[in-house]
Amino acid sequence: MGIADTKESWETVATRTPFEGAKTAVRSDQVRMPDGSVARRDYQVHPGSVCVLAYDEEGRVLVLSQYRHPVQHRLWELPAGLLDVPGENPLVGARRELFEETHTQAADWRVLVDFYASPGGSDEAIRVFLARGATEAEGEKYSDISSEEADMQVEWVALADLVAGVLAGELGNPGLVTGVLALSAALAAEGGIDALRPAEAPWPARPFTA
């Protein structure tokens, strides 16, 4: 029996935005519960994100190390970024992030996996793309980066080593964890990578213009 998430929306009887930042906000909703009572739900409003799992013929994944202040750790991650252009095709955003963060381009793109980062406290939706045929991008490297991004370390790491690190509790970035485990599952499944969705597959969580 197949299972799937289903869209559902409970009545919001009142809403306010107590904080609004440059890219995200905090919303406070009064929501009607099934028994008729009203409960408060506070959550982060987020434009959504894309991640890129670049995978080469040697079975390696392109990852980068970046300091994340909220958790006070330097995390190994996939190239990623916000979908802060309303209605933008996420594939366009993914290509941009791969170029800007690693000066890399790729020939073949597919949707690897979609997920919600923290659905109990945020509406952030994330799409992870699989990118193959990666080569160094043409032209000059992207130079308009923050000091935090300038400190990033970029490496090609064996997929098997990343899976082992995830299962050992040594790697905890959600995009990387979800991406490498999804790729490992896809490689083992019938049809393999060729059975993955096309790069411009619909994304109900973040509708876009193709």
Side-chain angles (χ1 to χ4, degrees), residues 88-180:
E88 181 180 47
N89 187 324
L91 177 60
V92 174
R95 291 182 187 276
R96 180 178 61 247
E97 295 301 331
L98 184 62
F99 170 76
E100 292 181 357
E101 295 190 344
T102 69
H103 196 62
T104 301
Q105 59 189 13
D108 182 77
W109 292 79
R110 297 172 188 268
V111 174
L112 180 57
V113 65
D114 298 328
F115 69 101
Y116 291 104
S118 181
S122 172
D123 70 349
E124 180 183 6
I126 298 177
R127 169 160 280 189
V128 183
F129 287 93
L130 175 67
R132 293 184 297 169
T135 58
E136 183 176 357
E138 299 177 355
E140 296 183 1
K141 291 186 177 181
Y142 182 72
S143 59
D144 187 17
I145 58 176
S146 68
S147 58
E148 182 181 69
E149 292 170 329
D151 189 50
M152 292 190 303
Q153 176 185 352
V154 179
E155 300 284 351
W156 283 96
V157 179
L159 174 63
D161 290 343
L162 294 174
V163 171
V166 168
L167 297 180
E170 297 171 348
L171 299 169
N173 175 270
L176 182 142
V177 169
T178 304
V180 300

Side-chain angles (χ1 to χ4, degrees), residues 25-108:
V26 173
R27 183 168 295 158
S28 183
D29 290 347
Q30 298 291 329
V31 182
R32 183 81 64 190
M33 298 289 105
D35 65 359
S37 64
V38 174
R40 175 176 159 182
R41 293 290 181 264
D42 302 323
Y43 58 99
Q44 180 192 36
V45 179
H46 195 286
S49 305
V50 288
C51 298
V52 182
L53 195 158
Y55 184 62
D56 72 5
E57 295 179 353
E58 298 178 40
R60 302 179 303 171
V61 175
L62 185 61
V63 294
L64 51 89
S65 176
Q66 186 170 4
Y67 175 67
R68 294 301 190 183
H69 187 71
V71 296
Q72 297 192 14
H73 272 71
R74 180 178 287 275
L75 302 179
W76 285 100
E77 307 178 353
L78 302 177
L82 298 176
L83 289 171
D84 49 8
V85 178
E88 181 180 47
N89 187 324
L91 177 60
V92 174
R95 291 182 187 276
R96 180 178 61 247
E97 295 301 331
L98 184 62
F99 170 76
E100 292 181 357
E101 295 190 344
T102 69
H103 196 62
T104 301
Q105 59 189 13
D108 182 77

